[in-house]
Amino acid sequence: MTSRLKDNMILKNISLTRGLKTIFSSLNIEFLCPGLNIIKGENGSGKTSLLMMISTLLQEDRGTIIRFGKLKKNDWLNEHILIKQNSSLSDELTIEENLKIWCGLKGWNFNTDKIEKSLKNFGILKYKNFLVSECSSGVKKKAELSKLNFDESFKLKCWLLDEPLNHLDENGKLFLKKIMDKFINMNGTILQTSHEKKINHKNFKIIKL
Amino acid sequence: MKINFKNILIALIEKEFKSYLRSINNFMNMIVFMIAIIILFPLTVGPSEEKLTLVSNAIVWIALIVSIIPTLDKIYISDFKNGWLEQYYYSPLLLEIIILIKCFVFWFFLIIPLTIFIPIFSILLNIPFLIIFWNIIIFAIGSLGFCLIGSICSSLTLGTKSNNLISPLLILPLAIPIFIFGNGVVEAVKSNYDPLPNLYLLITVCLILLIISPLISAYSIKIALTK
């Protein structure tokens, strides 16, 4: 019972404003933990803002967010990954260097084999020595999603994915589904924003904004 | 999960080093700018050697400072645009420490190599060897202070659209103590006084900046990220 209480993510009476625009007012959501939560809504309905707020990049004006039994902020930062819609890779570095340095910044071990394995699974191993500025949006997206395919990523509590299926080809989508299912089976929680109508996962909860 | 802080340090230094190496044209711009000032100044002062001796030290300093200032406000802008500042925010290492390392790497890879050019330019302008020696020491210490001031200004102007205009205006008033004490050392050497008191004051200014700069920069970066 205790472990079940700890594995919860609840938003209570949340209000959020950005500039003059009110994005949410008294929003209440209980997420499926562990499991896949698909956040749906029209453009501008605040899907990305919701993920950024859960990730602590945006500060809520009112209300409480319970992140896995009131996890401290620093622990929460080490327990989740946020993959944003736009790539967060440095144009001056190659794909391999970007991933290596990203692993290093997280305090994880970085070796070439690990990164090559992850890139190979997404089918972009041949681009590993390409500068990010030379790659197409699809390759950049796959390189970004390769961050989820490291052993350490599966040990985290939560993945926040902002429209991960954009720019992806069929193989990419299939492999992403595979690793998402693997993560959920390992008691992981995924919060994903999506516009896709067809959902291939078994257990999921749809949250409409 | 086990977090290896050594890996974070290595990754951070590797990223900064590779980024500077790939954008070597920034460094070349600084040098070309410096050379242009050093060549043009004597032409405008005139052929009199006396006049030139009077202003030669100032010319080297102005050339160094003016060429550094445009690069100072770019410490964070590319990382901000391509999302790396967010990755720094998520790193288990404190943002303040990351900023300090970033400033040191910037100083070490971009500014310290510039000190090689001080003797060359100083010889061209007929500056005595003793003054050249002190200039190198002052510039090496003072430029760290400049980088830390640059870090504050660069982070404060992250969210603004016209940061090119605001940054120099913010940097110059904050840099005045470094100018005064740096110049104090050279003046003391010229008039055969002890230059050490001014040098200690210069070091003090840099040490104060070393403490306050990462705190202010981290705070303003967090504001820029969460805006």
Side-chain angles (χ1 to χ4, degrees):
Chain A
M1 188 68 190
T2 342
S3 68
R4 196 175 151 67
L5 267 176
K6 271 185 181 176
D7 279 349
N8 59 358
M9 174 114 79
I10 303 167
L11 306 186
K12 281 182 190 165
N13 204 17
I14 294 287
S15 301
L16 177 73
T17 46
R18 288 183 85 174
L20 294 172
K21 194 185 168 195
T22 306
I23 297 169
F24 312 120
S25 52
S26 27
L27 181 75
N28 290 295
I29 302 175
E30 184 169 354
F31 292 104
L32 183 69
C33 294
L36 172 66
N37 299 275
I38 295 171
I39 302 162
K40 284 184 175 279
E42 290 170 2
N43 293 345
S45 58
K47 300 186 292 296
T48 305
S49 300
L50 180 69
L51 290 189
M52 283 168 75
M53 189 179 66
I54 290 168
S55 168
T56 72
L57 261 181
L58 289 179
Q59 190 63 43
E60 64 276 12
D61 299 328
R62 201 155 38 87
T64 35
I65 304 177
I66 297 172
R67 300 179 181 93
F68 297 93
K70 289 183 180 169
L71 210 62
K72 279 182 191 166
K73 191 186 166 190
N74 280 358
D75 294 333
W76 166 245
L77 290 181
N78 298 334
E79 283 294 346
H80 81 280
I81 299 182
L82 169 67
I83 302 283
K84 287 177 89 175
Q85 202 173 346
N86 304 326
S87 101
S88 57
L89 304 166
S90 176
D91 284 346
E92 293 140 1
L93 303 174
T94 64
I95 286 182
E96 189 189 7
E97 285 165 351
N98 261 300
L99 293 178
K100 202 175 152 190
I101 291 164
W102 184 82
C103 282
L105 271 180
K106 283 262 170 199
W108 300 348
N109 284 324
F110 50 89
N111 55 38
T112 321
D113 292 347
K114 178 174 133 178
I115 288 155
E116 278 183 1
K117 191 186 137 204
S118 183
L119 290 175
K120 197 179 172 185
N121 286 334
F122 266 103
I124 51 165
L125 184 60
K126 58 182 172 185
Y127 298 104
K128 70 168 187 169
N129 290 326
F130 278 51
L131 287 177
V132 171
S133 53
E134 294 166 352
C135 296
S136 69
S137 325
V139 174
K140 279 186 200 170
K141 191 76 194 180
K142 282 184 175 178
E144 188 80 33
L145 291 169
S146 306
K147 292 174 181 175
L148 302 173
N149 196 21
F150 299 131
D151 292 339
E152 289 92 343
S153 305
F154 290 104
K155 291 173 191 162
L156 300 176
K157 279 197 186 330
C158 186
W159 291 355
L160 307 173
L161 311 177
D162 190 9
E163 312 220 5
L165 302 171
N166 283 6
H167 306 297
L168 275 191
D169 58 12
E170 283 308 312
N171 286 338
K173 282 179 187 172
L174 275 177
F175 188 71
L176 181 66
K177 181 188 174 294
K178 203 174 143 188
I179 57 172
M180 279 165 75
D181 285 341
K182 186 182 165 189
F183 182 59
I184 293 166
N185 287 335
M186 291 170 83
N187 277 335
T189 303
I190 301 175
L191 271 62
Q192 179 198 337
T193 63
S194 178
H195 288 295
E196 301 266 317
K197 281 182 184 164
K198 198 179 160 193
I199 297 157
N200 292 324
H201 298 268
K202 282 177 192 166
N203 292 320
F204 59 85
K205 182 177 178 180
I206 292 183
I207 293 148
K208 283 194 176 163
L209 289 183
Chain B
M1 196 186 299
K2 199 186 164 194
I3 288 159
N4 192 338
F5 284 96
K6 200 177 128 195
N7 281 351
I8 304 179
L9 286 180
I10 296 171
L12 204 61
I13 294 170
E14 192 183 333
K15 184 197 173 281
E16 294 300 308
F17 176 63
K18 281 186 174 155
S19 298
Y20 290 134
L21 208 63
R22 305 245 162 95
S23 52
I24 194 91
N25 56 336
N26 277 349
F27 183 69
M28 297 312 286
N29 278 347
M30 279 160 78
I31 292 167
V32 170
F33 208 53
M34 268 170 74
I35 294 171
I37 295 171
I38 300 278
I39 292 172
L40 289 176
F41 226 108
L43 290 177
T44 50
V45 170
S48 155
E49 200 181 321
E50 280 175 18
K51 274 187 193 169
L52 201 60
T53 323
L54 208 65
V55 291
S56 54
N57 199 49
I59 299 171
V60 175
W61 267 86
I62 289 169
L64 285 167
I65 305 306
V66 171
S67 56
I68 289 174
I69 284 177
T71 55
L72 282 179
D73 61 358
K74 292 188 184 75
I75 300 181
Y76 300 115
I77 196 79
S78 65
D79 280 347
F80 181 64
K81 278 182 184 161
N82 60 31
W84 270 96
L85 274 186
E86 267 175 39
Q87 310 301 331
Y88 292 151
Y89 173 80
Y90 289 124
S91 171
L93 202 63
L94 273 177
L95 191 58
E96 285 83 354
I97 298 171
I98 292 178
I99 284 164
L100 203 59
I101 296 167
K102 242 179 113 61
C103 287
F104 266 108
V105 175
F106 179 84
W107 176 67
F108 192 77
F109 288 118
L110 267 183
I111 311 291
I112 288 293
L114 281 184
T115 48
I116 300 165
F117 293 91
I118 295 180
I120 302 167
F121 294 148
S122 303
I123 291 165
L124 283 175
L125 293 167
N126 204 19
I127 296 173
F129 277 105
L130 187 66
I131 307 263
I132 298 174
F133 166 75
W134 280 105
N135 264 346
I136 292 171
I137 293 178
I138 301 161
F139 184 70
I141 300 167
S143 57
L144 179 62
F146 276 126
C147 292
L148 294 165
I149 293 169
S151 160
I152 296 177
C153 300
S154 173
S155 57
L156 278 173
T157 53
L158 269 183
T160 58
K161 280 176 188 165
S162 54
N163 57 347
N164 286 352
L165 292 170
I166 303 166
S167 286
L169 287 175
L170 284 171
I171 291 169
L172 284 172
L174 290 171
I176 283 173
I178 298 174
F179 287 128
I180 292 172
F181 298 129
N183 194 42
V185 174
V186 178
E187 287 303 316
V189 174
K190 272 184 184 169
S191 25
N192 285 329
Y193 287 119
D194 186 10
L196 289 179
N198 276 310
L199 186 67
Y200 291 152
L201 283 168
L202 182 67
I203 294 170
T204 313
V205 172
C206 290
L207 287 176
I208 293 170
L209 283 170
L210 207 61
I211 297 165
I212 61 166
S213 168
L215 296 174
I216 300 173
S217 307
Y219 193 72
S220 34
I221 285 173
K222 278 177 194 165
I223 292 173
L225 284 177
T226 55
K227 207 167 71 170

